[in-house]
Amino acid sequence: MEDKKILELYFKRDEQAISESRLKYGAFCHRIALNILSVPEDAEECVSDTWLTAWNRIPPVVTDSFKAFLGKITRDLSISRYRANHAKKRYSGMEVLLSELEDCIPSPFCVEVKVEEEQLSRQINRWLDALPKEDRVLFVKRYWYGETVKNLAKLSGYSESQMAQRMLRLRKSLKTALERWESQNE
Amino acid sequence: MNKEELFNGISGIRGDILEEAEKYTFGTKRKNSWRKWAVMVAILCVVVGSVLTVTSILNHGGEGKQGSGKTTIIKGEDLVNIAGEDSPEPSYDTKSEYLYSELTGGKDQTDGNEPNNQEFSEQGSTARADLAGFNESMLSEQNCIAIVEGKITNRYQKEYEYSFSSNKFGEDGVMHGKDSTMVYEVTISKIWSRDFDKSKTLIVEDQNISMDEVLPMQIGHSYVLPLFDYGNEIIPFSAGNEEVLSGNLKRESRYSTIYPFHPQIESVEKGYILSADWKSLTADKATPVIMDTNFGKGYEYYKDKMVFLSERDFAEKMEYLMKRYHLK
């Protein structure tokens, strides 16, 4: 069913909206959750919660990209679950993502600088806009969708180590961009 | 800022970027299919070179004592077969032919200012067929982003030096690598395929491979160039899979020709001169071109494989080619 039709069902408060969403985007959302949590049962629970959250938000929320909207909900729920539980369990997907992202943090003397999340997102979007398309896609797939380096290498036809090196370069590039931005704000 | 904050910042990536990533399809094969052959042949050259050297030393040392042993010489043609590539089979009428000088108004195929690519190729084979030969499917395999026609107004060679980690000679070792590219400034006169900014001078940068060289385009000549988006940095071939530690890998341009190791399609007054490995373009109507002028060493292999197409025939064949590889 087309997204437009599914959204109409949400607006009509027709519960078929949830089953159609699950049918069309269940696998997509499950992949995002699993990439972050790496525990199938927890991922499944996040996906179930995704439909409920979408049900509660639409209306009034109207979205241009229903798929991205659902993906964001799943990702947020997965991150919340990670934060709530990571003292008890180890979610390897998220742990690896976070440790990689340490490479992007501007030099130590800037660590204490608190940044507005929205401003930071804006800078990241600006940096992404300037990247070649494939690099942009790779970064987003890795750090937003949480795809593994191994899977990205397989998708793009590169070896795993080449992909890891490409990711490293992207992280360094982001670090440079963030450092420049921070120095402008000082 | 800490990693958690950064992760939160990444959560705010715009919906259109997320959607682009979700919809994006990578090519089914490695982006630069000739590169895997480059690596394989590099290894092969080292192995063959070592075997020949050892055999040569043994034979040389043994000549005075026991007579000669037999040595098998591996030629470039054999490497083509190893690579599994068919040699081009031009299907043109061999009765009529053109002289290159007739078509270009006496211009040499070289501009008398040949770059010294040879220094990059001497360590490997001198065969022209070291790499996988060109075939048209590379247009889709390498995600051709546009085909443009333009005149070369400037050309220069650029070198990239860098260091990379290597445990070859001990833990935490560092080695140095060097790669080079040929950079062209092109004034675009025509866009054959896809949208492209025609207003500016286009910079095209082709990367040399250690055992083979880019066949340089000539200043003052015009060419039809299938391009792909190489990215902002060169691939440091010398480093292989090792991490590059220092050095500037930033390219002059993101654009590269799809296959820089064969003569590019040259635009001349009455039509186009191209190599017969453009099979869709050269089937049926192409006329052989005798390369009667000074041409670079790298072109030797293509000496009897160049053909001519009239402007109309070329345009017709290009239509077919672009449809076939979804470049429209």
Side-chain angles (χ1 to χ4, degrees):
Chain A
M1 187 183 281
E2 280 178 25
D3 287 355
K4 203 178 157 189
K5 291 263 165 64
I6 301 176
L7 285 168
E8 278 172 15
L9 292 173
Y10 276 99
F11 276 90
K12 285 180 195 165
R13 310 311 289 161
D14 183 337
E15 286 180 15
Q16 198 195 340
I18 291 179
S19 54
E20 291 296 339
S21 302
R22 186 185 291 120
L23 187 69
K24 191 167 181 185
Y25 294 119
F28 165 73
C29 292
H30 190 265
R31 204 177 71 226
I32 293 175
L34 193 62
N35 284 340
I36 292 170
L37 299 174
S38 58
V39 176
E41 296 76 24
D42 290 0
E44 193 47 55
E45 281 180 31
C46 284
V47 175
S48 298
D49 291 346
T50 300
W51 316 130
L52 185 65
T53 309
W55 179 259
N56 290 333
R57 287 195 195 165
I58 311 171
V61 171
V62 182
T63 172
D64 288 340
S65 170
F66 185 48
K67 189 176 185 179
F69 172 76
L70 292 176
K72 268 185 195 256
I73 294 175
T74 308
R75 188 172 187 272
D76 290 346
L77 289 170
S78 303
I79 293 167
S80 298
R81 182 168 286 251
Y82 162 82
R83 286 186 179 136
N85 290 356
H86 93 289
K88 290 178 254 168
K89 294 179 189 175
R90 184 174 172 82
Y91 293 122
S92 59
M94 182 73 175
E95 294 287 346
V96 174
L97 280 180
L98 285 176
S99 79
E100 284 183 17
L101 285 174
E102 260 178 334
D103 291 344
C104 308
I105 307 298
S107 50
F109 63 86
C110 302
V111 167
E112 297 308 319
V113 177
K114 284 272 171 195
V115 289
E116 286 288 329
E117 192 178 314
E118 204 175 311
Q119 276 185 327
L120 180 58
S121 297
R122 217 171 13 247
Q123 291 308 318
I124 293 169
N125 283 324
R126 199 170 289 170
W127 171 75
L128 283 169
D129 283 335
L131 287 180
K133 189 173 180 180
E134 192 166 287
D135 281 345
R136 184 165 57 243
V137 167
L138 285 170
F139 185 89
V140 172
K141 277 187 178 286
R142 175 77 189 114
Y143 298 109
W144 201 94
Y145 288 101
E147 291 283 2
T148 60
V149 170
K150 189 177 180 179
N151 197 32
L152 287 174
K154 199 173 154 191
L155 284 172
S156 61
Y158 286 92
S159 71
E160 206 174 324
S161 55
Q162 281 173 323
M163 182 53 66
Q165 185 163 323
R166 200 162 171 184
M167 284 298 163
L168 178 69
R169 270 191 235 143
L170 283 171
R171 293 198 298 272
K172 282 182 180 169
S173 163
L174 176 58
K175 182 184 178 181
T176 310
L178 292 175
E179 278 175 346
R180 200 177 302 134
W181 174 58
E182 283 200 351
S183 69
Q184 282 166 2
N185 286 345
E186 273 170 9
Chain B
M1 188 192 306
N2 60 35
K3 59 187 178 182
E4 293 269 349
E5 285 174 333
L6 181 59
F7 193 77
N8 290 342
I10 289 171
S11 300
I13 289 175
R14 288 197 319 266
D16 60 311
I17 298 178
L18 298 179
E19 197 151 353
E20 175 192 60
E22 187 53 31
K23 285 179 180 166
Y24 188 80
T25 314
F26 294 97
T28 50
K29 292 188 180 176
R30 182 163 294 183
K31 198 171 178 186
N32 293 294
S33 50
W34 47 263
R35 285 189 189 145
K36 70 181 172 193
W37 291 110
V39 173
M40 284 170 66
V41 174
I43 294 163
L44 189 66
C45 286
V46 171
V47 173
V48 170
S50 308
V51 170
L52 289 180
T53 308
V54 170
T55 315
S56 167
I57 290 166
L58 289 176
N59 286 342
H60 191 69
E63 270 172 8
K65 295 172 187 170
Q66 296 170 349
S68 62
K70 282 187 181 177
T71 304
T72 305
I73 306 291
I74 297 182
K75 293 178 181 173
E77 289 79 0
D78 298 321
L79 291 175
V80 178
N81 292 333
I82 291 166
E85 284 293 317
D86 298 326
S87 50
E89 292 163 9
S91 57
Y92 44 74
D93 176 8
T94 51
K95 286 179 186 171
S96 92
E97 56 195 22
Y98 286 103
L99 294 174
Y100 182 81
S101 58
E102 274 176 5
L103 295 169
T104 58
K107 273 189 203 167
D108 279 0
Q109 196 180 357
T110 65
D111 52 19
N113 188 24
E114 277 295 271
N116 184 17
N117 278 341
Q118 210 53 32
E119 67 181 273
F120 298 102
S121 63
E122 275 173 356
Q123 290 171 15
S125 164
T126 54
R128 288 300 324 124
D130 277 343
L131 301 171
F134 171 79
N135 66 68
E136 290 167 0
S137 61
M138 286 178 179
L139 292 172
S140 48
E141 283 167 10
Q142 293 188 208
N143 295 329
C144 179
I145 54 160
I147 301 180
V148 302
E149 183 171 333
K151 189 174 188 175
I152 307 294
T153 53
N154 193 17
R155 179 188 75 188
Y156 57 94
Q157 197 160 299
K158 186 175 175 190
E159 289 190 354
Y160 294 84
E161 292 185 31
Y162 47 88
S163 63
F164 56 95
S165 60
S166 170
N167 293 331
K168 194 173 178 183
F169 302 111
E171 264 186 47
D172 300 326
V174 176
M175 290 182 76
H176 298 279
K178 190 169 153 184
D179 283 298
S180 78
T181 60
M182 192 66 75
V183 184
Y184 304 97
E185 290 172 14
V186 186
T187 304
I188 300 176
S189 55
K190 181 172 181 172
I191 310 289
W192 281 91
S193 164
R194 305 265 171 89
D195 293 332
F196 209 80
D197 188 357
K198 198 176 166 182
S199 58
K200 294 175 190 166
T201 296
L202 172 71
I203 307 289
V204 175
E205 186 168 11
D206 289 337
Q207 187 165 1
N208 284 299
I209 303 294
S210 58
M211 84 296 287
D212 217 327
E213 77 247 41
V214 163
L215 289 188
M217 294 184 279
Q218 310 303 329
I219 297 170
H221 291 227
S222 294
Y223 299 89
V224 176
L225 305 172
L227 301 172
F228 78 99
D229 188 343
Y230 190 110
N232 282 332
E233 293 185 344
I234 62 155
I235 292 180
F237 281 113
S238 308
N241 290 335
E242 303 299 336
E243 184 188 348
V244 172
L245 303 170
S246 66
N248 186 5
L249 303 180
K250 193 168 175 6
R251 287 164 55 93
E252 295 288 296
S253 164
R254 288 160 52 173
Y255 304 116
S256 176
T257 55
I258 290 281
Y259 189 80
F261 311 106
H262 75 161
Q264 301 302 329
I265 299 170
E266 187 171 352
S267 166
V268 292
E269 202 184 334
K270 295 172 184 171
Y272 295 85
I273 301 169
L274 59 159
S275 60
D277 47 14
W278 285 100
K279 295 208 170 174
S280 303
L281 299 179
T282 58
D284 311 327
K285 290 178 179 171
T287 310
V289 174
I290 297 174
M291 306 304 288
D292 60 331
T293 60
N294 178 28
F295 55 90
K297 188 178 177 190
Y299 287 90
E300 194 79 38
Y301 175 78
Y302 292 96
K303 191 179 174 183
D304 57 352
K305 294 175 178 65
M306 301 302 290
V307 298
F308 173 79
L309 276 176
S310 71
E311 214 165 295
R312 206 178 69 179
D313 289 343
F314 182 77
E316 204 176 274
K317 299 278 184 180
M318 277 293 274
E319 276 296 311
Y320 167 75
L321 182 87
M322 290 187 293
K323 267 185 201 158
R324 184 174 178 190
Y325 293 103
H326 311 292
L327 300 172
K328 270 294 191 186

